[in-house]
Amino acid sequence: MARPLRICFVAYRGNMQCGGQGIYLWFLARELARQGHAVDVIVGPPYPDPMPFAGRVIRVQNQMFWAKWFLRDAAQMLPRPQPLRALLPLTFYELAASRLGFLPEPFAFSLRALAAIRRAMQGGRRYDLVHDVQCLGYGLLALRALGLPVVTTVHHPLTVDRRASFVRDQNLRDRIGTMLFYPIGMQSFVARRLDRVLTSSEASAADLQRDFGIRPERIARVANGLDTGIFSPDPAAPRAHDELLCVGRASDPNKGVHTLLRALALLPQRVTLTLVDSPRSEARRWAAELGCGERLHLAGHVSQDELVRLYRRAALVVVPSRHEGFGLPAAEAMACGAPVVATRAGALPELLRVGGGGVLAERDCPESLARQIAGLLEAPERRAELGAQGRAGIARAYGWPRIAARTAAEYRAVLHARTAAAAA
């Protein structure tokens, strides 16, 4: 039997509310620990929920200058209560880069994570491998120079976010800001030099090859995972007849919320939409302009328990995205037995092909989306059939035990290749 591995995760943002990378980090680390591996985590803010399964959790500090600058919170830009700490080289870099419109977090975090790992190793800690979660800072290359294999998970390359930002930009100044903001040159350079790049889908693998120039043999499609105990059906919970649910921020053009609201305007008056987004979301204004404002409910930022309740209640879950590297809301919905209407974009066709719990509409086409929604709302037996198929398909393909075992197999393949190269 193969010995357990010693894994160090590094993630520049760790909280589940800050995106899929926080969810991925927490659940994958937990499942690997359950399978007997030793896991340490080095993580930046916002920090994750408690991780009692980890041997050690090291919280890397930063001042989150970029978020403060984005929110125009200039009064909080200097470190408190020691403002002179802004003159420390790496902190000064973060402050200056944020002020100039760059995203400094991945690079700065990678150097701090490098220092933390070196201190841990000097203190006697030993790792077989480092697993980066979508940071791709230059410090990772120094870890390889120390002799540590490094793999990274990239759910989709930042080029996808940059293209979405260009869609949102209103003028030349905005477009220049978009060009400056994303550290694509650094991330693509680092990704091409790591031992393995793990990703969630065929669509993301293709994006990584095209946009980051990563050779196909260095990419492993391991998929994302889901806790199918938490995200599960409840036969006692009745489903609403005409209530749609969408989980996505209107501020992210990739989520396609405006297209969904245009589709809602085409549907009968009895059909309502619950959108898991901020009460201040611009979706409220869009819906009012389209004449369906009274049929939109903004749920705000909900807890995991409330999200599960919403999935269990919805007649349909709609994922109108322009791109998805995996499509976590669609997977969560299917795991809860909710039928899904998704767009033919990114990884969503692959996810629905595997899960079997929904139908596809054309991307950026409100008429196609409205047609598929209306068809399923008028067919309750078909919805129930899709819900049962989706639950079975997601539990079979994307449960965390399976995904963690596949991830560990990739770790061992990297270690074997290193050993073989050293012996050659």
Side-chain angles (χ1 to χ4, degrees), residues 173-344:
R173 182 177 179 180
D174 290 344
R175 294 185 180 93
I176 292 172
T178 291
M179 286 297 295
L180 292 174
F181 178 72
Y182 295 100
I184 289 170
M186 176 186 71
Q187 290 206 336
S188 61
F189 182 89
V190 172
R192 290 193 297 271
R193 287 157 177 81
L194 298 184
D195 292 272
R196 193 69 52 92
V197 178
L198 312 184
T199 196
S200 305
S201 65
E202 296 169 1
S204 285
D207 288 338
L208 287 165
Q209 291 175 54
R210 182 188 65 243
D211 295 353
F212 276 10
I214 302 172
R215 298 197 305 272
E217 65 271 17
R218 298 176 72 88
I219 300 173
R221 296 193 299 274
V222 177
N224 210 333
L226 198 69
D227 190 318
T228 54
I230 295 173
F231 292 93
S232 60
D234 180 2
R239 290 200 175 273
H241 294 294
D242 296 298
E243 184 178 317
L244 311 178
L245 174 67
C246 176
V247 180
R249 302 187 312 275
S251 59
D252 182 352
N254 271 332
K255 299 306 176 184
V257 171
H258 193 265
T259 298
L260 174 55
L261 292 172
R262 290 167 63 196
L264 180 65
L266 299 174
L267 291 164
Q269 288 291 319
R270 67 179 187 275
V271 180
T272 62
L273 169 65
T274 296
L275 178 64
V276 180
D277 193 7
S278 166
R280 298 185 297 275
S281 169
E282 55 192 330
R284 190 183 301 279
R285 174 176 59 82
W286 294 344
E289 291 172 352
L290 290 163
C292 55
E294 73 286 356
R295 296 155 59 198
L296 171 68
H297 169 65
L298 289 168
H301 300 295
V302 300
S303 67
Q304 182 175 262
D305 288 346
E306 176 63 10
L307 180 60
V308 170
R309 190 193 72 79
L310 290 172
Y311 282 136
R312 290 171 174 172
R313 171 184 169 81
L316 289 174
V317 174
V318 187
V319 186
S321 302
R322 305 188 75 251
H323 186 281
E324 288 288 349
F326 177 66
L328 191 59
E332 291 173 343
M334 288 189 281
C336 292
V340 171
V341 176
T343 46
R344 206 178 302 276

